[in-house]
Amino acid sequence: MRSFGQLAVAALGCVSSVAAQYRHLNSSQIHTDSKGFRLQHGFETVLVQPYGYDGFRVRAWPFRPPTGDEISFLYDPPLEGPEAGAAAHGMNYDISTNGLEPLRLRNGKIVVQTFTAPVRNNVTNVRLAFYRVEDDGSETLLTNEYQPYKALNPRYYSWNGPGYEFSAAFSFSTTPDEQVYGTGQQQDHLVNKKGNTIDLINFNTHIPTPMFMSSKGYGFVWNSAAEGEMEFGALRNRFTSRTTTLVDYAITTADEGDYDTLQRRLTAMTGRAPQPPDWTLGYIHSKLRYENQTEFIQLAQEFHDRNIPVSMLVIDYQSWVHQGDWGLDPALWPNVSYMAEKVKELTGAEIMASLWPSVSDASDNYATMQMEGYLAALRSGPGITDSWNGSYIRLVDSTNPKARDFLWSKLKYNYYDKGIKNFWIDQADGGNLGEAYQNNGQSRYIESIPYPFADALYHAGTQMSVGKLYPWAHQQALEEGLRNVTNTQMGSPCDQVSLSRSGYIGSQRFCSIVWSGDTTSVWETLAKQVSAGLSAAATGWGWWTQDIGGFEKDQSVWWSANIDTPEFRELYVRWQQWATFLPFMRNHGSRDCNTQDAFTCDNEPWTYGESNTPTIVSYINLRYQLVNYTRALFSQLSATGRMIMRPLYMDFGMTDPNIMEMTKNNSNVTTQQYMYGPRMLVTPVTLPNVTEWSVYLPQTAGGNGTQPWTYWWTNATYAGGQSVTVPAPLEHVPVFHLGSRADIMSGDVF
């Protein structure tokens, strides 16, 4: 029996084939100024183009060429690169080949090469391989199309229905030691996704996105709106689109360990986050839910009287008469303009209101949207039949530009023109309301229905073919409306923001915060949110947040989400401390309580016990003290794509050999610790009843080889490359910093 290493070599035999062919090429045969090449391979066409700095874009199709109307999340051309500002690449190329003779193109630090892989009996298939050019002129193989001897074709197509649309599965070589970062957001407690297969289906808390960075020093985007899978195996990475008419992906490279350059290249392809308004950098407050105008103004009065700063107050769901009214119930909110002015006067805060993407047949908007074709349908019937609170609802088709315009017209009239200018895009996962694990509470006997509806039909296509577009398009509806009304261009600083429970490739280009969804209020879930945020960051989503305290009760834990229990109060304080060091500090949740004096139980900073209130308020104040630092982080994010939440491999993978090994194994160090910007190491406390906490301090680079870490609360200094145990009473979250505290407070850190 052969060892795993021998099997790996055998399975990657095509790599040696690549190397053998490469030896027969010389530098005169490499193309450095080509527009790209078109490879005709039987019934299949492959188009490869230089793309941005150090990147290539690859498109492939069998038989029929694409129409040009395919959905793309990539910029053409990218925001940065030799072609930035020039005409779009389109489908241009200047070299044609059948692949029988090796062909090499170079774009900056990346090289693509065609090679022929043996099948059997002198039959060969044409494959692609990608290399990074090192400073000494040598080349490092990043990945190649994966095809061991007599294996499934690495560019695999199949036709499963009566039409032309096909299923595509593309495979690429990897090695057991490669690490994979990004892939959107999953509740899996992982930073390194190696070994995972992830379904490309959105639902509440699950936002899979086929975009990743490799520890080998390359970034990859599978540019598809279709449902499918991404698989990261020991020897093969495979991406599947279940129904499509075009395969489209991009690859880029940077020096191994240079993740900031990788992020710069990837965000140049998919979009840069704009600069958020200053007021969003403070404290955002919400609960499930404030019932009426009087209660909401009283909330603002309480913040004013208690001298607690707040930047935005939020009106959550069911504040309307009927689903799809997209306006507040006038019986409960009789004077919206006055309320907005009063809240601003008392606190200086903005207001955000919730909207859902569904319309009840009782809403005045239903008939118009039905007649105009603004509602999603089913391939087997007139519309997506869903329900909420016993009423029949239909899903807004946000992939339809006219439906997006209609939605915004209602939001503008009912909210924006009356002073509520920020919007919470809840439930917009696509296919239905996005509750994959229950039937929206309609029956305790009917659960685990396989949502989203695979049979959903949109203006842009089916759920199978374009389902991943839906949350992105819903964000787009708000972005288009807000940009038009403020007469600003996408990418410029934002005046207002939206908050979305979902997203996709390039969601960061919108003035839209992604949050981690309806999580449960237990310690394990708190720990999962850290790694979820780090994976979101590696995907390019710098605008990320979550619900302080978790959203809802875990039915298996008696004290979960109950504000009157000491157990939940402790969890809430620890969660709130951590949220101080996130891109956005947002408090929200559905709470239980022993005594209820409002429509829903309280969730304000002063409701978690008299002894805890000073601690909670102190972290809100600290958030405002750090505003210069946070603003500087967002400025770098907007300019270069440099992440705010930074997994430890980003900054210490090359200076501390322990970090990569810990990341490979998804140790608690690398899933629970991260850098908040360049100077602050944050380690949330994720267990109850502790008074001290162990923290690993990475080996740093400095003038003498190391730079000391300083514990925020005691000013004690420590050398890097060791684990230390520090005091962590309930008042203190373990935070260390590099450099002076004065520089951090001033924002002078770059």
Side-chain angles (χ1 to χ4, degrees):
M1 179 177 292
R2 287 184 291 178
S3 69
F4 181 79
Q6 290 171 318
L7 290 171
V9 170
L12 289 173
C14 54
V15 176
S16 62
S17 173
V18 176
Q21 292 197 40
Y22 170 69
R23 286 193 293 270
H24 294 291
L25 295 170
N26 57 58
S27 60
S28 66
Q29 293 172 292
I30 191 167
H31 300 268
T32 58
D33 56 357
S34 170
K35 294 180 181 178
F37 66 82
R38 181 181 184 273
L39 167 66
Q40 193 64 50
H41 184 236
F43 63 75
E44 178 196 33
T45 305
V46 180
L47 177 66
V48 181
Q49 297 170 312
Y51 186 59
Y53 289 121
D54 310 319
F56 284 104
R57 183 178 183 181
V58 180
R59 282 170 280 188
W61 60 91
F63 296 110
R64 299 180 186 177
T67 64
D69 296 326
E70 286 77 17
I71 295 163
S72 175
F73 303 95
L74 296 176
Y75 282 118
D76 183 15
L79 299 176
E80 295 177 345
E83 71 277 56
H89 288 280
M91 306 295 284
N92 294 327
Y93 62 94
D94 54 19
I95 300 174
S96 296
T97 181
N98 59 15
L100 296 182
E101 293 297 325
L103 174 68
R104 303 184 74 226
L105 263 62
R106 177 173 176 175
N107 180 27
K109 300 188 72 165
I110 194 168
V111 169
V112 61
Q113 178 184 322
T114 65
F115 68 98
T116 53
V119 180
R120 60 180 302 181
N121 298 331
N122 296 320
V123 176
T124 59
N125 285 327
V126 182
R127 303 290 169 249
L128 302 179
F130 300 92
Y131 300 85
R132 179 178 57 246
V133 181
E134 308 295 356
D135 291 342
D136 62 3
S138 64
E139 295 181 6
T140 300
L141 178 67
L142 302 172
T143 187
N144 59 269
E145 292 181 322
Y146 172 84
Q147 186 183 22
Y149 187 55
K150 295 184 180 180
L152 191 68
N153 196 310
R155 301 193 301 270
Y156 180 78
Y157 309 94
S158 61
W159 286 259
N160 302 318
Y164 174 74
E165 288 189 343
F166 55 84
S167 172
F170 274 41
S171 298
F172 302 89
S173 68
T174 181
T175 54
D177 61 338
E178 181 178 19
Q179 298 182 31
V180 175
Y181 316 126
T183 75
Q185 174 193 281
Q186 299 90 45
Q187 301 291 324
D188 57 12
H189 218 305
L190 303 176
V191 168
N192 174 22
K193 304 295 184 173
K194 186 72 166 182
N196 270 18
T197 297
I198 302 169
D199 296 319
L200 291 171
I201 301 176
N202 286 42
F203 54 83
N204 193 351
T205 76
H206 184 71
I207 320 175
T209 302
M211 179 171 170
F212 73 90
M213 298 190 300
S214 165
S215 60
K216 289 186 174 181
Y218 70 92
F220 184 91
V221 183
W222 180 253
N223 182 31
S224 172
E227 291 188 352
E229 296 83 31
M230 45 183 166
E231 171 192 347
F232 301 103
L235 304 177
R236 176 180 67 178
N237 294 336
R238 180 165 63 174
F239 294 83
T240 302
S241 294
R242 291 185 183 172
T243 305
T244 189
T245 58
L246 175 69
V247 173
D248 188 355
Y249 67 87
I251 185 170
T252 187
T253 191
D255 291 342
E256 188 172 337
D258 187 358
Y259 297 101
D260 286 335
T261 297
L262 273 185
Q263 283 288 342
R264 181 162 193 153
R265 301 289 183 260
L266 288 168
T267 56
M269 296 176 176
T270 60
R272 294 265 165 78
Q275 189 80 7
D278 262 9
W279 53 265
T280 61
L281 307 185
Y283 171 67
I284 300 171
H285 179 79
S286 177
K287 78 163 184 174
L288 184 94
R289 66 185 169 90
Y290 295 104
E291 185 185 18
N292 56 51
Q293 179 174 312
T294 300
E295 184 183 6
F296 202 70
I297 292 176
Q298 182 58 39
L299 171 70
Q301 187 71 55
E302 287 276 7
F303 273 98
H304 172 272
D305 294 348
R306 295 172 182 271
N307 196 29
I308 300 174
V310 62
S311 291
M312 185 158 65
L313 299 174
V314 183
I315 301 170
D316 199 359
Y317 80 139
Q318 298 296 107
S319 52
W320 43 78
V321 179
H322 301 294
Q323 203 100 311
D325 286 350
W326 297 307
L328 295 173
D329 182 349
L332 299 176
W333 311 84
N335 193 333
V336 176
S337 297
Y338 165 76
M339 179 182 67
E341 292 172 0
K342 190 64 176 177
V343 167
K344 177 72 76 171
E345 173 191 323
L346 289 169
T347 64
E350 297 287 322
I351 299 177
M352 173 178 278
S354 171
L355 67 125
W356 283 20
S358 49
V359 186
S360 165
D361 57 352
S363 173
D364 290 341
N365 294 324
Y366 182 85
T368 299
M369 299 190 76
Q370 167 77 323
M371 286 198 315
E372 296 295 333
Y374 297 162
L375 300 175
L378 291 177
R379 290 193 295 171
S380 57
I384 293 178
T385 305
D386 207 342
S387 59
W388 179 260
N389 283 352
S391 64
Y392 171 84
I393 58 175
R394 294 275 300 278
L395 193 68
V396 178
D397 184 2
S398 289
T399 75
N400 184 337
K402 292 183 178 179
R404 295 198 298 268
D405 290 344
F406 181 86
L407 171 62
W408 173 252
S409 71
K410 299 302 177 182
L411 295 174
K412 182 178 183 299
Y413 180 80
N414 291 320
Y415 292 105
Y416 190 93
D417 291 345
K418 297 175 182 179
I420 298 178
K421 300 183 177 182
N422 306 277
F423 298 96
W424 180 355
I425 313 170
D426 205 352
Q427 298 279 349
D429 310 274
N432 64 337
L433 289 184
E435 308 293 353
Y437 45 83
Q438 65 178 9
N439 188 26
N440 286 329
Q442 299 304 304
S443 170
R444 63 191 177 94
Y445 300 109
I446 304 175
E447 296 187 352
S448 299
I449 292 176
Y451 287 148
F453 293 127
D455 207 27
L457 183 65
Y458 307 115
H459 177 270
T462 65
Q463 174 68 26
M464 279 289 195
S465 63
V466 301
K468 296 293 288 177
L469 169 68
Y470 189 88
W472 194 95
H474 212 55
Q475 288 177 294
Q476 184 182 11
L478 275 293
E479 182 76 9
E480 290 169 341
L482 289 169
R483 290 298 189 183
N484 287 338
V485 78
T486 57
N487 194 30
T488 57
Q489 298 296 315
M490 184 179 290
S492 64
C494 306
D495 295 320
Q496 286 87 36
V497 299
S498 66
L499 173 72
S500 178
R501 197 173 78 177
S502 198
Y504 198 50
I505 299 167
S507 282
Q508 69 272 8
R509 70 183 69 169
F510 302 134
C511 298
S512 189
I513 306 166
V514 173
W515 103 94
S516 63
D518 296 349
T519 55
T520 53
S521 299
V522 291
W523 289 97
E524 180 184 1
T525 301
L526 165 59
K528 287 180 179 178
Q529 300 323 292
V530 185
S531 55
L534 296 179
S535 291
T539 309
W541 302 337
W543 285 36
W544 185 87
T545 190
Q546 42 78 70
D547 294 341
I548 294 176
F551 172 69
E552 60 190 351
K553 182 179 181 67
D554 184 320
Q555 297 297 330
S556 66
V557 180
W558 69 270
W559 52 260
S560 175
N562 189 319
I563 65 172
D564 292 319
T565 61
E567 291 85 356
F568 181 62
R569 287 179 173 182
E570 180 188 6
L571 172 63
Y572 180 87
V573 171
R574 290 301 194 188
W575 211 313
Q576 193 253 7
Q577 292 170 342
W578 169 53
T580 308
F581 307 96
L582 293 177
F584 299 95
M585 184 185 192
R586 173 178 173 268
N587 180 27
H588 180 65
S590 174
R591 303 294 180 237
D592 285 356
C593 54
N594 296 340
T595 302
Q596 188 169 329
D597 57 6
F599 184 79
T600 56
C601 295
D602 296 334
N603 188 42
E604 293 71 45
W606 51 87
T607 59
Y608 287 90
E610 186 176 350
S611 62
N612 292 324
T613 299
T615 300
I616 293 170
V617 173
S618 72
Y619 280 91
I620 294 175
N621 286 325
L622 177 58
R623 176 72 184 191
Y624 285 89
Q625 293 164 14
L626 290 169
V627 70
N628 291 330
Y629 182 71
T630 303
R631 186 189 299 114
L633 305 187
F634 273 103
S635 179
Q636 283 292 307
L637 174 72
S638 181
T640 69
R642 190 181 199 278
M643 285 298 106
I644 295 174
M645 291 183 71
R646 303 179 60 79
L648 296 186
Y649 62 78
M650 279 191 172
D651 294 306
F652 308 108
M654 302 302 287
T655 61
D656 188 332
N658 294 323
I659 291 299
M660 294 309 292
E661 186 64 24
M662 291 175 177
T663 307
K664 176 182 178 180
N665 298 319
N666 285 299
S667 78
N668 283 341
V669 167
T670 51
T671 62
Q672 302 298 289
Q673 295 185 199
Y674 66 98
M675 292 295 290
Y676 180 59
R679 297 291 185 89
M680 305 185 78
L681 176 69
V682 180
T683 309
V685 173
T686 55
L687 293 173
N689 304 316
V690 300
T691 57
E692 58 183 22
W693 200 250
S694 177
V695 178
Y696 182 78
L697 302 176
Q699 186 75 37
T700 59
N704 296 317
T706 60
Q707 186 178 10
W709 293 96
T710 302
Y711 192 46
W712 187 267
W713 307 109
T714 65
N715 288 325
T717 59
Y718 302 85
Q722 62 172 329
S723 293
V724 299
T725 298
V726 293
L730 189 57
E731 296 79 16
H732 293 164
V733 59
V735 174
F736 291 78
H737 64 91
L738 297 171
S740 75
R741 188 182 301 218
D743 286 345
I744 292 172
M745 292 302 192
S746 70
D748 184 18
V749 292
F750 291 105

